[in-house]
Amino acid sequence: MAKNTAAIDPQSSCLTLINVYEVEPEKQADLAKALSASTENTIRHQPGFISVCIHSSIDGKKVVNYAQWASKEHFEGFMKKPETQEQLKQFAGLAKSVAPSLYTVNAVHAE
């Protein structure tokens, strides 16, 4: 797989986190940059990390973090770390609200 390419595969047993941040438009770029920097510097080096994709809504009001982890256990281990909690507080400080949920992939339709 090419560098900086994420694969979404319904046959994979990985865990997917989709985290939707509501932001003021003037803070959207700052949050997207903070999420990206944290992922590059820290998160991608954690056990079980697969990928993170960061999306900014066209209207400037949301940032979506789509993350894949090898297992729920890997994700939970990452979440238990004090430094993770500190990073999450930093991200939440840039947002009006944060709505994380865990998912499995049911189907992929692609050309």
Side-chain angles (χ1 to χ4, degrees):
M1 186 180 313
K3 182 174 168 46
N4 293 332
T5 300
I8 302 173
D9 180 359
Q11 302 301 313
S12 172
S13 61
C14 76
L15 177 77
T16 301
L17 164 73
I18 300 176
N19 201 347
V20 180
Y21 295 87
E22 281 192 73
V23 295
E24 295 293 347
E26 63 272 11
K27 292 193 177 175
Q28 185 189 49
D30 290 340
L31 178 57
K33 187 176 179 181
L35 286 165
S36 187
S38 179
T39 299
E40 187 59 32
N41 297 329
T42 307
I43 299 170
R44 71 186 208 92
H45 304 289
Q46 302 303 309
F49 172 86
I50 296 174
S51 71
V52 163
C53 300
I54 300 160
H55 309 261
S56 294
S57 66
I58 302 293
D59 65 5
K61 296 179 180 179
K62 290 192 174 90
V63 175
V64 176
N65 179 15
Y66 183 101
Q68 295 174 313
W69 290 86
S71 69
K72 189 173 184 201
E73 292 72 28
H74 284 103
F75 176 72
E76 288 173 347
F78 167 70
M79 290 299 290
K80 286 178 184 170
K81 294 182 176 186
E83 57 269 30
T84 300
Q85 292 303 314
E86 281 303 311
Q87 286 180 330
L88 295 177
K89 284 179 192 168
Q90 175 195 351
F91 303 148
L94 292 168
K96 294 195 299 185
S97 69
V98 184
S101 294
L102 299 175
Y103 296 87
T104 57
V105 177
N106 297 107
V108 171
H109 304 271
E111 192 154 345

